[in-house]
Amino acid sequence: MFNNLSAWFTPRTPLDKQSKRLLTFGSFAIPILLWCLFSYVPFIWHPQVEITQPGGVSYFREGTLVDKEIFQKEVDKKLAANPDLDPALLPQGEPANPVYLPAPHEVVTALYTAFTTPPKRNNEPWLHESLWHSIQVIAWGFFWSMVFGVPLGILAGTYASASHLIEPFTEFFRYLPAPAFGALAVAILGIYDAPKIAIIFIGTFFQMVLIVSATTRKLNIALVEASLTLGCKGLRMIRRVVLPGILPDLYRDMRILLGWAWTYLIVAELIGTSSGITWFITQQARYKNFDNVFAAILIIGIIGLITDMILARLGKRLFPWHTSK
Amino acid sequence: MNSHPLNEWITPEIQDRNERILKRPPVLDIQQLHKSFEHKGKQIEVLRNVDFTAYKREFICVVGPSGCGKSTLARLIAGLETIDDGSILMDGKKVTSPGPDRGMVFQSYSLFPWMTVKENVMFGLIESGMSKTTAEPEALQWIDLVGLEKFTESYPHQLSGGMKQRVAIIRALANQPKVLLMDEPFAALDPKNRLKMQQYLLEIWQNIDITIFFITHDLDEAIYLADRILVLDAHPGRVKEVVNVPLPRPRANDTFLSPAFMGTKAYLESLVHHEEEEPEDMEDKLKMVRMVSVNSDVPDIF
């Protein structure tokens, strides 16, 4: 079946289609399988007991989760008090996982029900509204980063003078954690979306300047020199040669940075009035609906993966000359 | 002059042609040129006191050992490096920055990968203020000239190395520069393609008004192409000699085998390689490769 299995273990060797598919499948299947094992096989982990029959213990209720040791202690107590007790009257229960590890099927159901369940209070948003809010915050934060970060990065990558003016400070600011500006952002920009957008901006902008300048510097210098000898210089050269020259790499950089923006989103949304998908997650965790929490986290992952795949496909179409690399 | 070893091949026709070239107006005048680079805090002198004049429609080749600054010389003329001392005059005007009067073809492929062949050739024309509608037929003419009509709409990555350099040449020529600087443009090509490209280049050069300043480390290439060869010395780069090539134009097909060609090559070799390290310790290294004692009795493969 895998006549070139040896390719799996040869460094930097492309795989055949079948192996590629199998491994991609496995990359998702293995973690899911592990999750299933922990959830459905009773003797793996399952540190708690879900009570099916209280058996006269005062604080046992049907459906409550207690630690295994406590359950055993209560059973032993009952037996010590009355050794001849009918085993059917003893407290009984099934091995269970803690509430924070819902089983796969519960999360899958939650993926659907989270969207259909109305919010607890009238003024609270539905899940899709929260999500849309998050996406808007990310989009604005990332947009402003790009508006300032890309031109500055290109300038720094093209001119040594711009690089010396821009990069040292950027390099310093990059080490200041964006969430640390939370309190400041709220003080200046209020409690609604503005400080959240600012956090995403701070989190991505400085990285973007440095990454774009590095990408610009990787542009084949012969292209720049050729354009100079052809009579094209200055800003016109940047527009006609540098920008199209780095565009495919720039596009890839933006894809990577967009992933970072999602990371900062979660912190940003806790600032001021909690909002968006993070608000949904904290709220559900408060109600101990951990299946919904998992569902929300998965949704973020799925949105991220899908945008990235769409952007990757689009990139191939937009830059047909880039396939040669 | 009579004692020069190449004089025996200089026929009256060649002599006449050479003299006529020197009477043409000078296009490129390099005067007392100095250039040094800073490397790890040390000043390294690359070019010292370079004096040279190229005349209208002349084909100049520059050869020299590695480190003689021949690429730097081309880049200085192009205006891609700053001049430390001395000056470079183009038609009497000082060179300070890159300009469309000096086209350049680089060793590495420098076509814009996001543009088709046609757009690449049109680039310089549009930069010089031509409208798209006039630039396009002009570009197509150039593409026809080098036989790439079929590849007008292709992207550079779809072309072979030789085709890419042909496009690079016409892209530079389309701007109608006075001087075409070429920095080892065919070094990456295989020998067969290289010869073809050299023939192409000569043909183009004969048909248009252009002075070519061609950097190479391949002596055959230099002799085949040039009217005069500028031989540089290394560390620092200085003019060693300017050699008149004693071959008639147009070049004959068997010119590579002619005694004049071989004699010129032997002479150039003596100029270029005379002070390079002799491979005397090669023998010792070979013995190490054999991994046997130097004194043991091993039959020689020769």
Side-chain angles (χ1 to χ4, degrees), chain A residues 223 225 233 236 240-241 321, chain B residues 75 98 110-111 113-114 127:
Chain A
L223 297 185
E225 293 184 337
K233 50 187 85 172
R236 199 171 156 76
R240 288 264 280 156
V241 177
W321 69 87
Chain B
R75 293 172 56 80
S110 62
L111 297 181
W114 60 93
E127 285 314 310

Side-chain angles (χ1 to χ4, degrees), chain A residues 8-135:
Chain A
W8 288 27
F9 303 102
T10 319
R12 299 203 152 202
T13 309
L15 296 172
D16 57 299
K17 227 175 193 174
Q18 207 176 14
S19 305
K20 265 193 218 160
R21 261 194 217 138
L22 183 83
L23 291 171
T24 311
F25 174 74
S27 128
F28 282 95
I30 292 168
I32 290 174
L33 187 73
L34 282 176
W35 186 16
C36 288
L37 284 176
F38 274 98
S39 300
Y40 298 130
V41 183
F43 51 85
I44 295 182
W45 203 38
H46 287 78
Q48 295 189 324
V49 174
E50 185 181 355
I51 308 294
T52 50
Q53 181 188 308
V57 180
S58 56
Y59 61 93
F60 281 8
R61 298 273 178 283
E62 214 171 294
T64 43
L65 294 169
V66 291
D67 286 348
K68 259 186 186 153
E69 296 85 57
I70 294 170
F71 180 79
Q72 198 54 46
K73 226 191 317 183
E74 291 298 338
V75 172
D76 289 348
K77 245 193 239 168
K78 285 276 167 200
L79 281 174
N82 184 1
D84 305 325
L85 194 67
D86 179 4
L89 292 175
L90 279 175
Q92 297 194 350
E94 288 166 351
N97 279 327
V99 66
Y100 55 77
L101 184 69
H105 73 270
E106 291 169 322
V107 174
V108 171
T109 331
L111 270 178
Y112 173 72
T113 53
F115 284 100
T116 55
T117 320
K120 296 254 157 150
R121 283 182 225 117
N122 281 339
N123 59 345
E124 285 173 357
W126 289 64
L127 173 56
H128 64 267
E129 287 170 331
S130 295
L131 264 177
W132 178 233
H133 188 257
S134 292
I135 289 172

Side-chain angles (χ1 to χ4, degrees), chain A residues 220 222-223 225-233 236 240-241 244-245 320-321 323-324, chain B residues 75 80 97-100 102 104 106 108-114 123 127 157 171 175:
Chain A
N220 183 359
L223 297 185
E225 293 184 337
S227 88
L228 289 174
T229 59
L230 290 167
C232 181
K233 50 187 85 172
R236 199 171 156 76
R240 288 264 280 156
V241 177
W321 69 87
T323 48
S324 59
Chain B
R75 293 172 56 80
L80 295 171
S97 62
R102 284 146 291 140
M104 184 144 181
F106 299 81
S108 69
Y109 304 129
S110 62
L111 297 181
F112 303 124
W114 60 93
F123 182 88
E127 285 314 310
H157 72 89
R171 182 178 65 176
N175 254 14

Side-chain angles (χ1 to χ4, degrees), chain A residues 225-226 228-231 233, chain B residues 27-28 74-80 88-90 93-105 172 175-181 210:
Chain A
E225 293 184 337
L228 289 174
T229 59
L230 290 167
K233 50 187 85 172
Chain B
V27 174
L28 178 68
R75 293 172 56 80
L76 282 164
I77 298 170
L80 295 171
I88 296 172
L89 302 177
M90 274 289 304
K93 262 181 271 163
K94 264 197 178 185
V95 165
T96 51
S97 62
D101 56 338
R102 284 146 291 140
M104 184 144 181
V105 178
N175 254 14
Q176 299 186 324
K178 300 206 175 69
V179 174
L180 181 63
L181 303 159
I210 185 114

Side-chain angles (χ1 to χ4, degrees), chain B residues 14-70:
Chain B
I14 296 171
Q15 179 70 29
D16 181 45
R17 182 182 150 75
N18 285 346
E19 278 166 12
R20 272 189 287 124
I21 287 176
L22 299 184
K23 279 180 200 142
R24 292 179 197 161
V27 174
L28 178 68
D29 205 358
I30 302 168
Q31 297 171 342
Q32 294 292 309
L33 191 65
H34 283 269
K35 176 73 188 173
S36 39
F37 284 115
E38 198 169 316
H39 182 67
K40 288 180 184 162
K42 268 199 280 179
Q43 286 285 325
I44 294 172
E45 202 176 7
V46 189
L47 292 171
R48 178 190 290 173
N49 249 349
V50 176
D51 266 309
F52 184 76
T53 308
Y55 296 91
K56 201 170 157 65
R57 296 198 70 177
E58 198 178 9
F59 203 127
I60 306 290
C61 279
V62 184
V63 298
S66 50
C68 70
K70 47 191 194 288

Side-chain angles (χ1 to χ4, degrees), chain A residues 200-214:
Chain A
I200 291 177
F201 177 83
I202 292 169
T204 51
F205 169 76
F206 296 97
Q207 315 283 351
M208 192 179 288
V209 171
L210 295 175
I211 289 177
V212 171
S213 73

